[in-house]
């Protein structure tokens, strides 16, 4: 195989991208990636775990981005790490089933699973099933997994791993929950 051919086959292979870390900027970065892809004619689906609120990015996406489909699987309340409510587990499991369906459907060029790392870390969904879903994705699909606490195994199988680290956050100065910044 010539150099050109192998370059072309690499270019066609979809990527698994992972964005994690304890600093602010993971979900907003995921939506930025979606925006870029949509600009290039991609159809993109974002599925959010553990979220049920109409965030600014969800409102804007529904209003201005016909190339973007957003699903949310969660409530507008915090999930307790060590004692999640049965409804939180149930919704996360439904999210995982939907994610498998969306990925297998071939309907989208890019799928973003926001906060899936947290859902795995909180044990709302089994890591093994997520790993299998990622490993079995259609070859051309670009897949982005976001959320803090990404597991080592997910980091291992991803093509790209970026960690957003907190240096400072305005939350620690008492500035909380701003529209347009946090939601
Ligand atoms: P964003 O949605 O703004 O990109 P994120 O996805 O990186 O943030 P999450 O861990 O999903 O961050 O948490 C979401 C919320 O928590 C946001 O409102 C964000 O401002 C806030 N947050 C994120 N990181 C921190 C931090 N290090 N300290 C305090 N609050 C944070
Ligand atoms: Mg987030």
């Amino acid at each position: 195989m010539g150099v050109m051919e192998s370059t072309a086959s690499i270019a066609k292979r979809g990527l698994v991208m992972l964005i994690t870390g304890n600093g602010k900027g993971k979900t907003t970065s995921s939506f930025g990636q979606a925006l870029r892809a949509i600009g290039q004619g991609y159809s993109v689906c974002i599925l959010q775990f553990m979220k049920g609120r109409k965030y600014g990015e969800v409102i804007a996406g529904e209003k201005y981005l016909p190339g973007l489909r957003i699903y949310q699987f969660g409530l507008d309340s915090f999930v307790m790490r060590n004692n999640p409510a049965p409804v939180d587990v149930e919704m996360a499991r439904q999210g995982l089933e939907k994610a498998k369906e969306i990925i297998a459907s071939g309907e989208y060029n890019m799928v973003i699973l926001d906060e899936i790392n947290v859902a795995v870390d909180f044990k709302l969904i089994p890591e093994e099933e997520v790993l299998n879903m990622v490993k079995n994705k259609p070859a051309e699909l670009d897949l982005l997994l976001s959320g803090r606490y990404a597991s080592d195994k997910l980091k291992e199988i991803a093509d790209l791993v970026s960690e957003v680290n907190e240096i400072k956050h305005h939350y620690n100065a008492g500035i909380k929950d701003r529209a347009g910044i946090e939601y």
Side-chain angles (χ1 to χ4, degrees):
M1 195 191 280
V3 173
M4 292 302 286
E5 272 172 308
S6 65
T7 306
S9 66
I10 287 168
K12 266 203 237 160
R13 181 169 77 79
L15 298 170
V16 177
M17 298 176 274
L18 184 80
I19 304 181
T20 192
N22 68 351
K24 169 171 160 52
K26 301 170 293 292
T27 296
T28 45
S29 161
S30 301
F31 274 79
Q33 190 68 65
L35 189 64
R36 176 175 285 172
I38 289 164
Q40 297 292 356
Y42 281 45
S43 65
V44 179
C45 181
I46 301 182
L47 191 154
Q48 300 191 301
F49 287 87
M50 304 166 71
K51 280 183 172 173
R53 196 197 287 199
K54 288 272 178 191
Y55 293 87
E57 58 270 32
V58 175
I59 298 167
E62 288 173 352
K63 198 165 168 187
Y64 302 113
L65 295 170
L68 179 65
R69 184 78 170 87
I70 302 173
Y71 294 98
Q72 291 188 316
F73 285 86
L75 303 175
D76 184 12
S77 56
F78 278 108
V79 179
M80 279 184 289
R81 185 191 199 115
N82 295 315
N83 186 22
V87 64
D88 296 324
V89 178
E90 181 52 34
M91 291 187 95
R93 290 222 53 115
Q94 285 172 9
L96 181 59
E97 291 313 310
K98 187 70 183 176
K100 287 180 195 169
E101 187 188 310
I102 287 164
I103 287 171
S105 76
E107 211 181 315
Y108 299 97
N109 307 109
M110 179 182 286
V111 172
I112 296 175
L113 303 175
D114 185 36
E115 314 302 352
I116 191 166
N117 296 329
V118 185
V120 170
D121 183 70
F122 283 25
K123 300 195 165 31
L124 305 181
I125 53 176
E127 181 187 30
E128 208 52 39
E129 272 185 53
V130 175
L131 286 165
N132 286 332
M133 176 176 73
V134 174
K135 285 178 190 162
N136 296 320
K137 76 167 186 65
E140 340 63 72
L141 178 76
D142 289 312
L143 185 61
L144 196 161
L145 313 174
S146 54
R148 53 183 69 205
Y149 316 126
S151 80
D152 289 339
K153 285 183 182 166
L154 278 168
K155 287 179 186 168
E156 224 173 273
I157 63 169
D159 297 294
L160 171 139
V161 180
S162 286
E163 198 168 68
V164 184
N165 291 319
E166 182 191 323
I167 306 293
K168 283 173 92 169
H169 194 294
H170 49 262
Y171 182 89
N172 298 315
I175 303 167
K176 296 173 187 174
D177 264 1
R178 288 238 166 130
I181 305 293
E182 264 79 41
Y183 63 91

